[in-house]
Amino acid sequence: MSSLRGLFTEAMAQAAAGVAVVTVRDGRDDLGVTVTSLTSVSLDPPLVLVGLTSTSYLTEVLLRRDRWAASLLADGQQAIASRFAAAGRPGARLLLSGAAHHRGPHSDALVVDGGVAAIEVETTQVVPAGDHTLFIAEVRNIDYVNAAKAPFVRLRGRYRPVL
């Protein structure tokens, strides 16, 4: 069984995936995590999906808070991706210290500036899936789109710029 897991991990690492930071405001606290599982689901209505480890604290919060944001990172934002991917990380406000950001008008979540795009969404469906929870959400606001910037991706276990 573990060899299947290892091969599965290696196989899926061959697919390039955009790197995003998902953030949510929970009362006075701001939380966030780096993801490579943000996917477009539908154009009408505009829906996205993100998968998070079911046992994570962010999953627990998103089960209580329907509105959240996703900032799709650009090349040059590797440090932000690494900060939000680190285990035992502090709150999102500390992780964004020194990085341009704002609070989204729809979600009240922190939005990273300078990426390729940022969206604010509202969860419409939650689906348990193995060791993950899938959050399907309707896009309520597009904070910005910057198609002139190169997106930041993860491929073969490493962060990479798109050349």
Side-chain angles (χ1 to χ4, degrees):
M1 182 76 166
S2 64
S3 63
L4 178 61
R5 286 183 182 170
L7 285 172
F8 176 71
T9 300
E10 187 176 342
M12 296 313 299
Q14 305 312 303
V19 179
V21 170
V22 169
T23 54
V24 63
R25 185 169 193 176
D26 186 29
R28 294 181 307 179
D29 200 10
D30 291 285
L31 305 158
V33 69
T34 300
V35 300
T36 56
S37 61
L38 183 68
T39 305
S40 171
V41 174
S42 168
L43 181 60
D44 188 20
L47 298 174
V48 296
L49 173 147
V50 70
L52 300 173
T53 305
S54 295
T55 57
S56 74
Y57 182 59
L58 189 61
T59 296
E60 181 184 320
V61 172
L62 286 181
L63 290 171
R64 295 192 315 261
R65 297 283 201 203
D66 290 340
R67 294 179 181 194
W68 45 277
S71 305
L72 289 75
L73 301 182
D75 184 33
Q77 293 185 308
Q78 292 88 329
I80 292 172
S82 294
R83 287 179 203 163
F84 279 89
R89 60 194 167 274
R93 280 177 283 184
L94 290 174
L95 294 172
L96 286 174
S97 177
H101 64 281
H102 67 276
R103 210 166 271 291
H106 176 75
S107 65
D108 207 27
L110 295 176
V111 174
V112 179
D113 293 331
V116 294
I119 61 175
E120 293 179 273
V121 301
E122 189 166 342
T123 300
T124 58
Q125 189 175 358
V126 177
V127 180
D131 62 357
H132 275 60
T133 300
L134 307 179
F135 294 88
I136 299 171
E138 187 169 349
V139 177
R140 300 292 191 185
N141 186 50
I142 308 288
D143 284 76
Y144 66 85
V145 175
N146 189 344
K149 289 197 169 196
F152 188 46
V153 302
R154 185 167 174 89
L155 174 65
R156 297 185 176 143
R158 302 181 116 176
Y159 293 134
R160 301 171 189 268
V162 173
L163 303 175

